[in-house]
Amino acid sequence: MPDPIIRLDDLKLTLPSAAGEVNILRGLSLTVEEGEAVGLVGPSGSGKSTLLMVLAGLEQPTSGGVHVAGQDMGTMNEDGLALFRRDHVGIVFQSFHLVPTMTALENVAVPMELAGRADAFQRAEEELKMVGLSHRLTHYPGQLSGGEQQRVALARAVAGDPQILLADEPTGNLDGTTGDQIIELMFDLHDKRGTTLVLITHDTHLAEACDRVVRLKDGLIDSIEPGRRASKRTAAQ
Amino acid sequence: MSGHNPPLSLALTFARRELRGGLKGFRVFLACLTLGVAAIAAVGSVSSALVEGLSQEGQTILGGDVDFRLVHREAGEEELQFISQGADVSQSAEMRAMAASPKTDQRTLVELKAVDALYPLYGVIALSPAMDFAAALERREGVWGTAVEPALIDRLGVDVGDMLKVGDIDVQIRSIIEREPDRVAGGFALGPRLFLSDDAMVETGLIRLGSLVNYHYRVRLPEDRRLNADVAAWVEGVRTQFPDAGWRIQDRSDSAPGVRRFVERVALFLTLVGLTALVVGGVGVGNAVNSYLDTKREVIATFKCIGAPGGFIFNVYLIQVMALALVGVAMGLVLGGITPFLVQWAIEDMLPIPARFALYPAPLVLAAGYGVLAALAFAIWPLARAREISATGLFRDLVAPTRALPRVGYIVAMVVALLALAGLAIGLADRADFAFWFIVGALLSFVILRFTATGLMALARRAPRFKSPELRLALSNLHRPGAATASVVLSLGLGLTLLVTISLIDGNLSQQINGELPDRAPSFFFVDIGPDQVEGFEAIVNGTEGVRALNRVPMLRGRVMSVSGVAAKDITPSPDVAWMLQGDRGITYAAELPAGSDLVQGEWWDATTDGGSLISLTEEMAQGFDINLGDEITVNVLGRNITAIVANTRNVDWGNVGINFIFVFSPAALQGAPHTNLATLVMDETGELDLQRAVSKAYPNITIVRVKEALEAVNKLLEDFAMAVRATSVVTLASGIIVLAGAMAAGHRRRVYDAVILKVLGATRRKILKAYIWEYALLGLGTALVAALAGTISAWLVITQVMEAPWSFLPVTLGVTVVAATLVTVSLGLIGTWNALSAKAAPVLRAQ
């Protein structure tokens, strides 16, 4: 059996604050198999975003093991983690976070340019075509609707063929219809490429669309339940 | 996993894309750099134009390719024959004398110049009414003519056509001098110029044995021997032929060394002021970069999330900042480069020295170098901190602090850039020590001001809770995160410190010249009193009412030829005393220790028993030349070398403005030499003009320097100079005000938000305005007080340690500075705040 693509062992993370130390993650252990779609739910302050940041290498745990895509994250320095993200992780944010002075095409090409790929723009064009924005290549984020911006962000996240896609409330700033379109696109890409998906959401219904739903509470895993996707797979098998 | 860092070309690509966002927020950045670079470029270009003019017009300024000057004596036949071989030689005699108007009965000291038919060898003398120069001076119907400077016309109340009495003759004013081509080389003048022909001079009877006359022999070499190298070789030949002639030789390559040194010193000072303006501007640069990067936090965090290493992010923004810096530098160079042409258009005719107005690349390159280094030095810190911006801010909806210090490598790079800036200024200065201390002073002021800002914020934090809510709000605004306190204090403070320093130095010098000096100085100096005139002169003086003290000493002129057997040209004394070897010096002999002197080493001679040639010199000179008791000094007096043994050294109180000499010989050394006498007289002011008239009528050859008039001339010069220097310090202040405006503008969004929230909570605009006035007044007052203190200390150091003059505290000057600075800060702050007060609440609240 192949190793899980994500393995967290007794993960603890404490952050200083004006009121004293705050235990954000309090001994969390989790494994995620390659190609799996995991929904992370929980109330505000449960540690969902922090967990995502640990997976992305943007936060270092106070203690515990973090292994992602076969790499021990605890042994990497800051630049090493950046390069790791470039090569293995795609991130979709709630607020899109496109670079306002770059066109849609340039925004999608950025991770591949950073990786030194000669075909960065060609690949970017293909990805934008895949998300239905081939007519918006030269538009700046300010000229795109919210849904279009999030599609560009999605294209940017997957253009480098990452093993892991992290999505932090990707539909939080979108209306219902647009949000559904984004989710459909995201799952479609996940299915086609076999990318491991970790999705933070307040929407329980959306979380249940994944293979598993991991509920966090007070920095610990409260429960892990199978999602509709896993049930469908089991049924298919 | 690919481990390579993205190449610089990619950083350039990203930088270009980022700059599409426009240059909003960089106006202050560009203004600060442009002003500082323009100031340095302008100073360098104008001084290059002046120095080049001195160099190119050397022969005109000097009056010849070479100038030989002898004091007291004319050149011997052999000497004249030698320098005249194959060359044209124009002879002139220059001295100070008195000119009187029979019409108005006024008299004045003049700079008398008697010339031959060949004068001027180079250049043209411009007269009004225009006429042939020889015609202006020739004898007509038994009367010699003269050409005079306009100042003489004003002082004596005369006009063209009127008569003047000069020595024993009457001369007629035929023309007014508009331009004398070699005036500058003559140095500082105590009176207006008066020209006579050489034959007229003889008839004046002013030239007597021992009279202080400068004889000039200006030489025009054949055209094929006028290259600087040829001239230098020819001069060397003359020196070899006449090693003991005792003449001062100047050639066209450095025709007015005193003027050139003055231009270079002033240029150095002004460049340093410009550099200070650039450093102050650097604060604005740092602020602008900080503000820009603040708006880019999200983008930087995004780049980090999608895999950009920190070093790459630093490069992307460094490229943007330096590209804009080059734009600012270029604008500064354009402004600075055209300044010489503006000066030419505005004041070329008023300049006392010729100038070659052109584009001079060297000062522009230097200014560009300063600008780039300054931009780099002040941009590195905010750029390095931007590298540390946490990407976690994209996930958490809170302020992700980046208070961490930049990495050591960047701090080192910043320090290296600052050192390079200082090193460039010091390395290229002709007075490296001056440049070094100036920079140390600026740096110390910077550090003190930084601590002041921190201190102000700490004080505001610990201030008691005042009843007035506006004052409480103002105090909290001083120390809240993101407050502009540090920027305001630094930007305004440095320029103010410089202004206070210069104003206090100027004030103290004026006080000396106008206040204390007249009390200590004698009323008159009488020069060239012949030995046969002493009795009659003293009779006139003693017969005048109000006379309090008369002091008379013998006076000669001499030139140092060697010290301890080493020829003067081979000696390298310390810079402070090097002037002693440049030209002739006044010397005297005395049986007793002169008043105002204290012995430091050795014993004073007993004139009745010591028959040898002994010399006393000032302790400062002895140390500067490394002379010890028993060493020999050779001085050329009236063509004769006198060698004397150092018997003692003295400290002299120059401040008493009495008669003092650096070299005092024993009577045995010089008593037999032909000489005149120098006298000082202290008397009541009421009788001064009558005495001057009486002495001048009886002895027209005696030069009378009324100290009151001389001090007025010096004071005028100092005032003009101080005004020019103060004007340049305004450049630093202007730079500070731009930075201040930028700091205010940067906080504008915050001000708008604060004002809206306060309005929502029920505060009237009047109350909010009052709070802002308090805030800016506290800032301005705090800054001004520290600047006043720092400026006072700096001025005290310069006056007491460098100039060794007494110090006076000038509260009015300081008070004016403090009040003005506070008003400026309040005004600028209110200009920025006015808009904030007018902002409508709803759009602001919706945008949050």
Side-chain angles (χ1 to χ4, degrees), chain A:
Chain A
M1 196 161 165
D3 286 338
I5 197 161
I6 293 172
R7 194 176 83 230
L8 308 173
D9 297 314
D10 194 29
L11 194 63
K12 285 182 185 160
L13 194 144
T14 305
L15 290 175
S17 79
E21 286 189 338
V22 180
N23 296 323
I24 309 284
L25 300 174
R26 303 194 290 134
L28 188 152
S29 296
L30 178 69
T31 56
V32 177
E33 302 300 328
E34 190 169 359
E36 201 179 350
V38 173
L40 279 180
V41 295
S44 283
S46 58
K48 307 188 296 294
S49 294
T50 305
L51 179 57
L52 211 71
M53 283 191 269
V54 169
L55 292 175
L58 295 170
E59 280 278 23
Q60 293 281 40
T62 313
S63 66
V66 182
H67 288 80
V68 180
Q71 312 262 352
D72 182 355
M73 308 277 273
T75 62
M76 295 184 207
N77 63 17
E78 196 193 320
D79 279 354
L81 288 168
L83 297 175
F84 175 80
R85 280 193 294 279
R86 185 192 72 187
D87 295 338
H88 298 282
V89 181
I91 309 176
V92 180
F93 302 95
Q94 179 175 347
S95 302
F96 327 135
H97 291 309
L98 299 178
V99 180
T101 53
M102 294 190 193
T103 62
L105 186 68
E106 287 166 345
N107 263 286
V108 175
V110 165
M112 292 178 286
E113 284 183 288
L114 289 171
R117 284 177 66 160
D119 64 342
F121 282 92
Q122 189 188 333
R123 283 285 298 132
E125 195 173 335
E126 286 165 12
E127 293 296 342
L128 281 168
K129 205 169 160 185
M130 197 104 60
V131 298
L133 288 178
S134 53
H135 59 298
R136 297 291 214 194
L137 298 182
T138 57
H139 286 70
Y140 290 92
Q143 297 169 310
L144 303 172
S145 68
E148 286 171 336
Q149 287 186 62
Q150 194 61 300
R151 278 193 265 171
V152 173
L154 189 53
R156 180 181 69 186
V158 300
D161 284 325
Q163 290 170 274
I164 299 160
L165 181 62
L166 305 174
D168 179 19
E169 299 272 13
T171 59
N173 280 358
L174 303 171
D175 62 79
T177 310
T178 314
D180 288 342
Q181 288 169 355
I182 293 297
I183 292 300
E184 196 182 320
L185 204 51
M186 199 164 58
F187 275 105
D188 191 39
L189 287 168
H190 156 71
D191 289 336
K192 280 186 180 143
R193 301 186 192 203
T195 317
T196 305
L197 171 64
V198 179
L199 167 67
I200 290 180
T201 181
H202 279 115
D203 184 345
T204 318
H205 182 75
L206 174 58
E208 286 170 355
C210 299
D211 292 312
R212 277 193 293 164
V213 179
V214 175
R215 286 185 200 283
L216 294 184
K217 189 179 173 188
D218 294 331
L220 285 168
I221 294 177
D222 193 33
S223 68
I224 301 178
E225 296 143 16
R228 289 197 300 275
R229 201 167 269 263
S231 307
K232 271 186 201 161
R233 210 175 280 141
T234 309
Q237 282 169 1

Side-chain angles (χ1 to χ4, degrees), chain B residues 152-163:
Chain B
L152 184 145
I153 302 288
D154 296 333
R155 280 193 205 179
L156 299 185
V158 293
D159 209 340
V160 173
D162 288 340
M163 301 298 289

Side-chain angles (χ1 to χ4, degrees), chain B residues 291 294 399 473 476-484 742-759 768 772 775-776 832-833 835-837 839 844-845 848:
Chain B
S291 298
D294 260 348
V399 177
L473 181 63
S476 68
N477 275 347
L478 285 181
H479 66 80
R480 61 166 169 74
M744 301 289 188
H748 179 69
R749 223 168 57 151
R750 181 72 192 234
R751 295 267 165 215
V752 167
Y753 182 74
D754 287 350
V756 159
I757 296 301
L758 287 168
K759 276 197 247 178
I768 300 170
Y772 289 146
E775 183 186 338
Y776 298 128
T833 308
N835 289 336
L837 284 180
V844 173
L845 293 169
Q848 291 302 316

Side-chain angles (χ1 to χ4, degrees), chain B residues 181-196:
Chain B
D182 55 345
R183 185 69 160 107
V184 164
F188 178 68
L190 276 176
R193 170 72 80 214
L194 184 146
F195 272 105
L196 289 178

Side-chain angles (χ1 to χ4, degrees), chain B residues 68-75 79 213-215 217 245-247:
Chain B
F68 297 87
R69 191 191 75 173
L70 287 164
V71 186
H72 284 314
R73 73 167 184 95
E74 293 183 78
E79 290 164 339
V213 183
N214 291 315
Y215 294 96
Y217 298 87
W247 43 23

